[in-house]
């Protein structure tokens, strides 16, 4: 079993360090880990945010544990050298088309949600976001036009791209509350009309799952009005980017939520994937032992489950995190004073008591 560890920029290295201490505590037999540079850190050391060696290391692994990329020093670089290109490059080069972003309320933390506690308590949803298409990867460019600079990003989706992510969402929904809300903008966009027709086709294979369609503007409103109505949200790259941040805020803190990006490749242990906290590099608090490592630790749990076939260990890590939070070991993002290291310590001591 091989894990590639790409900690990246800002708070990435601090939160990943805690996830690594957790995995050491599990003492998995036959596990090897490799560390690589990515993002602004990689640009500064190697002149590229996604060096060939890093990509190679990721390809050779069974799973990738990823911290965060983003560095204000790199803001003025041409697009291909910006840190964000590293994660986009990994997603496309590794064929990671399915992004799973679960958001569920943590008992006792409802007060940190900007929503009324009774609404926050009811949140238990999964955003299934397509990750290899849409405006993110369509033709883009810029030119001088009559109205000054003019830019474009082409939004496109093919039926085969929609089909495979729809299968991911329906299969995920079968293990949840068996409801898929497909989010699009079919009243305006051609891509969304193809999206909707294709999702309806795929739904025929899953008669036990209820399907509804929602325009993205309405979905954004419904998510704050009554988030408990959502089970599995199936959507494209751009809408999924926006709605998943919104879902995380509804839960209380972006510092708590993990994500998995999966492709089709199966390894000897499970599905190859990349796992990352959904928060970013937070340069304003980097290096100050203030970041919440929970999202990174929960990303590790997702890696154990999906890529290493270690479901029981994943469950143990998740229970250790829940216990830490319910014991009131909270970081600054949740009004507490625990440091990154102290939260890691608490998760590890909980973990050793859980069998
Ligand atoms: C995310 C991030 C990325 C995205 C950025 C860093 C490119 O916002 O993972 O949600 O837009 O996908
Ligand atoms: Mg985002």
């Amino acid at each position: 079993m091989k894990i590639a560890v790409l900690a990246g920029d800002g708070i990435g290295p601090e939160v990943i360090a805690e996830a690594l201490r957790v995995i050491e505590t599990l003492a998995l037999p036959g596990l090897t880990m490799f560390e690589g540079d990515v993002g602004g850190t990689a640009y500064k050391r190697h002149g590229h945010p996604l060096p060939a060696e890093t990509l190679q290391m990721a390809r050779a692994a069974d799973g990738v544990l990823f911290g965060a990329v983003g560095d204000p020093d790199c803001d003025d670089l041409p697009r291909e050298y910006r840190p964000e290109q590293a994660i986009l490059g990994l997603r496309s080069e590794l064929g990671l088309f399915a992004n799973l972003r679960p958001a569920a309320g943590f008992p006792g933390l409802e007060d940190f949600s900007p929503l009324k506690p009774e609404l926050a308590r009811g949140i238990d949803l999964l955003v299934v976001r397509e990750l290899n298409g849409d405006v993110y990867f369509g033709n883009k460019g810029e030119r001088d036009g009559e109205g000054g600079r003019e830019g474009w990003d082409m939004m496109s989706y093919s039926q085969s791209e929609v089909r495979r992510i729809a299968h991911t969402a329906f299969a995920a929904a079968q293990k949840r509350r068996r409801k898929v809300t497909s989010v699009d903008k079919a009243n305006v966009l051609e891509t969304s009309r193809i999206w909707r027709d294709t999702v309806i086709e795929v739904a025929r294979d899953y008669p036990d799952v209820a399907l509804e369609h929602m325009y993205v503007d309405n979905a954004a409103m419904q998510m704050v009005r009554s988030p408990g109505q959502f089970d599995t949200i199936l959507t494209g790259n751009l809408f999924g980017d926006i709605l998943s941040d919104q879902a995380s805020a509804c839960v209380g803190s972006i510092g708590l939520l993990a994500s998995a990006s999966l492709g089709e490749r199966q390894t000897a242990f499970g599905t190859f994937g990349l796992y990352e906290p959904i928060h970013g590099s937070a340069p304003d608090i980097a290096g100050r032992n203030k970041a919440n490592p929970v999202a990174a630790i929960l990303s590790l749990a997702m890696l154990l489950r999906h890529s290493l076939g270690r479901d029981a260990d994943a469950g143990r890590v998740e229970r250790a995190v829940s216990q830490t939070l319910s014991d009131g070991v909270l970081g600054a993002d949740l009004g507490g004073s625990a440091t990154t290291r102290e939260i890691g310590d608490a998760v590890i001591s909980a973990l050793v008591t859980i069998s």
Side-chain angles (χ1 to χ4, degrees), residues 26-343:
L26 291 172
L28 303 181
L31 177 69
T32 356
M33 309 222 264
F34 301 86
E35 292 190 32
D37 291 327
V38 75
T41 314
Y43 175 78
K44 287 172 186 163
R45 290 192 187 143
H46 314 278
H48 198 281
L50 180 56
E53 312 85 82
T54 300
L55 185 57
Q56 186 43 40
M57 181 187 296
R59 272 193 216 286
D62 297 298
V64 180
L65 185 61
F66 187 93
V69 288
D71 179 344
D73 292 351
C74 298
D75 280 352
D76 295 327
L77 292 173
R79 175 161 39 87
E80 64 266 35
Y81 293 116
R82 286 207 286 269
E84 291 75 14
Q85 290 304 308
I87 186 65
L88 298 178
L90 284 163
R91 289 170 182 171
S92 66
E93 291 292 327
L94 301 174
L96 304 171
F97 66 87
N99 188 209
L100 311 183
R101 297 189 161 184
F106 285 88
L109 298 186
E110 298 83 4
D111 287 344
F112 296 99
S113 169
L115 303 182
K116 294 192 184 99
E118 63 272 23
L119 290 183
R121 216 169 283 133
I123 302 176
D124 182 2
L125 61 85
L126 172 70
V127 177
V128 178
R129 168 189 177 195
E130 200 288 329
L131 212 51
N132 279 176
D134 208 345
V135 281
Y136 273 70
F137 293 99
N139 176 290
K140 39 182 92 231
E142 136 152 33
R143 68 178 167 214
D144 287 320
E146 279 176 17
R149 288 169 66 203
E150 210 173 278
W152 63 93
D153 302 89
M154 156 113 143
M155 179 181 263
S156 82
Y157 264 122
S158 69
Q159 281 195 291
S160 63
E161 287 174 312
V162 180
R163 221 171 264 134
R164 63 183 186 176
I165 191 70
H167 279 292
T168 305
F170 282 100
Q174 281 182 323
K175 296 191 187 147
R176 298 176 47 92
R177 301 194 309 279
R178 294 200 292 277
K179 175 178 171 192
V180 168
T181 305
S182 174
V183 173
D184 63 32
K185 187 72 187 172
N187 49 349
V188 177
L189 303 174
E190 283 305 316
T191 42
S192 284
R193 295 159 74 95
I194 291 168
W195 179 279
R196 195 176 275 220
D197 290 347
T198 311
V199 170
I200 291 172
E201 240 176 72
V202 171
R204 294 192 193 116
D205 292 347
Y206 302 85
D208 54 330
V209 178
L211 169 66
E212 67 175 8
H213 303 276
M214 208 179 267
Y215 296 141
V216 62
D217 47 351
N218 184 27
M221 179 183 72
Q222 297 294 337
M223 195 181 285
V224 290
R225 247 190 87 238
S226 67
Q229 70 182 287
F230 294 107
D231 174 30
T232 302
I233 295 178
L234 162 61
T235 191
N237 208 344
L238 182 62
F239 299 157
D241 179 43
I242 299 165
L243 290 176
S244 60
D245 265 31
Q246 194 186 344
S248 72
C250 292
V251 168
S253 168
I254 198 165
L256 299 177
L257 298 187
S259 75
S261 302
L262 306 175
E264 260 147 18
R265 182 155 78 85
Q266 298 297 314
T267 70
F269 310 100
T271 305
F272 174 76
L274 179 148
Y275 303 82
E276 55 176 320
I278 89 154
H279 61 67
S281 59
D284 51 322
I285 58 161
R288 290 165 57 193
N289 200 17
K290 272 178 88 167
N292 190 343
V294 162
I297 295 170
L298 291 176
S299 298
L300 168 68
M302 290 185 96
L303 185 155
L304 291 166
R305 175 168 294 123
H306 294 286
S307 289
L308 299 186
R310 311 279 311 197
D311 220 40
D313 289 312
R316 280 178 67 204
V317 172
E318 286 162 352
R319 287 202 298 284
V321 166
S322 298
Q323 193 181 317
T324 301
L325 295 173
S326 59
D327 287 347
V329 183
L330 303 176
D333 56 323
L334 294 169
S337 60
T339 64
T340 310
R341 184 41 66 102
E342 283 164 356
I343 298 172

